[in-house]
Amino acid sequence: MSETAPRGINPAIPHSARVYDYWLGGKDNFAADRDVAEQTMAAVPGIRESARDNRAFLGRAVQFLIDQGVRQFLDLGTGIPTQGNTHEVAQAAAPEARVVYVDNDPIVMTHARALLTSTPEGVTRYIEADIRRPRAILEHPDTRETLDFSRPIGLMMVAILMHVPDEDDPAALVRAFAAAVPPGSFLVLSHLTLDFLPEEHARRYLAATKDQAMRRTPRGRSEVAAYFDGLELAEPGLVSAPHWRDEPLFDDPPAWMYAGVGRKG
């Protein structure tokens, strides 16, 4: 059965945000996205549970930042709106919280503008942009109107850098964004890794994904830890996502993601 899509969207090309939406139980995805999601799930166990654990980490990290007094967030790589978005968690605890969402997929932004509504006290804005161009995001009028760069900002880079290939130097992107925010700001980051997996599972994952149109780059502990250079890691440091300040959602959870929160001094 054919599927219709908004103008400018090719439903035959899978997209990471829509694959993630499928794993989270959402409905904003196409057959191509579901095929990639199912192929990956069939090849290696626990990837869907890992997506849900990663989403839960985002919620805990946002609440942690709220507890530290942060009231503004720059969310890089928003993804399809689903339960527990950054502004929902932040504004539930602090209605005045201000959030700028960034994504480079037009369908993501269409859904974001329709579904991510702010509290009356707070502000929520949406920018269609590529995180590989930090200056365009940081100097965007909506960013500057929404966020006060003299006060701490939460930089949300949750499950986004794995979509940035090495040739685009993801570490340099992190440094650019971190340099732009004031002391007292935080980096919230999670990243795909194969470090925790049995060797056979890692081989199966790489074999299953090497020919996919939508590529993801898993990285090891030293590479992920380097993103936090110059920042003070909050306890418990850099750990698997389900173990960051909580008990795992699932028994014997699959550990596919590193997660950490770092503070700029």
Side-chain angles (χ1 to χ4, degrees), residues 1-236:
M1 184 175 68
S2 64
E3 295 180 290
T4 59
R7 185 187 297 263
I9 300 298
N10 185 348
I13 299 176
H15 190 282
S16 58
R18 297 189 294 266
V19 171
Y20 192 57
D21 173 71
Y22 178 75
W23 283 337
L24 292 175
K27 299 178 180 179
D28 295 305
N29 47 75
F30 300 119
D33 307 305
R34 296 189 287 273
D35 286 345
V36 168
E38 290 288 348
Q39 289 168 16
T40 308
M41 289 163 55
V44 284
I47 194 73
R48 177 166 55 186
E49 290 83 357
S50 177
R52 296 177 182 182
D53 269 321
N54 184 65
R55 192 66 174 188
F57 158 70
L58 180 149
R60 296 194 303 276
V62 170
Q63 184 61 58
F64 173 74
L65 266 60
I66 289 291
D67 293 343
Q68 305 305 305
V70 176
R71 294 295 184 269
Q72 38 183 13
F73 299 82
L74 180 58
D75 190 320
L76 301 162
T78 304
I80 298 288
T82 187
Q83 292 183 347
N85 295 290
T86 296
H87 83 284
E88 291 177 328
V89 178
Q91 292 180 349
E96 73 278 17
R98 307 168 73 87
V99 180
V100 173
Y101 287 106
V102 181
D103 205 286
N104 68 343
D105 184 352
I107 195 170
V108 167
M109 301 316 294
T110 297
H111 286 285
R113 292 187 177 99
L115 299 175
L116 301 182
T117 56
S118 176
T119 59
E121 302 94 332
V123 177
T124 306
R125 297 281 178 85
Y126 324 96
I127 298 173
E128 189 175 328
D130 192 323
I131 71 161
R132 292 172 297 181
R133 294 168 176 77
R135 185 173 178 179
I137 294 169
L138 293 166
E139 296 181 359
H140 194 285
D142 285 349
T143 303
R144 288 292 164 176
E145 289 174 10
T146 305
L147 305 180
D148 179 355
F149 279 75
S150 70
R151 300 173 63 83
I153 293 171
L155 288 173
M156 310 297 296
M157 303 187 80
V158 176
I160 184 61
L161 292 179
M162 62 193 192
H163 301 294
V164 179
D166 291 341
E167 54 264 32
D168 287 327
D169 198 352
L173 299 180
V174 177
R175 290 194 297 271
F177 283 107
V181 297
S185 296
F186 288 84
L187 170 65
V188 175
L189 185 148
S190 65
H191 199 294
L192 177 69
T193 187
L194 304 182
D195 284 3
F196 302 115
L197 301 180
E199 185 176 345
E200 175 59 23
H201 287 177
R203 282 201 302 268
R204 289 168 63 187
Y205 173 84
L206 292 172
T209 59
K210 67 182 179 66
D211 294 325
Q212 290 179 356
M214 185 195 75
R215 298 301 301 274
R216 296 174 290 269
T217 302
R219 294 186 170 98
R221 182 179 182 84
S222 62
E223 293 173 289
V224 179
Y227 297 142
F228 292 96
D229 284 353
L231 305 177
E232 180 184 356
L233 273 170
E235 291 294 335

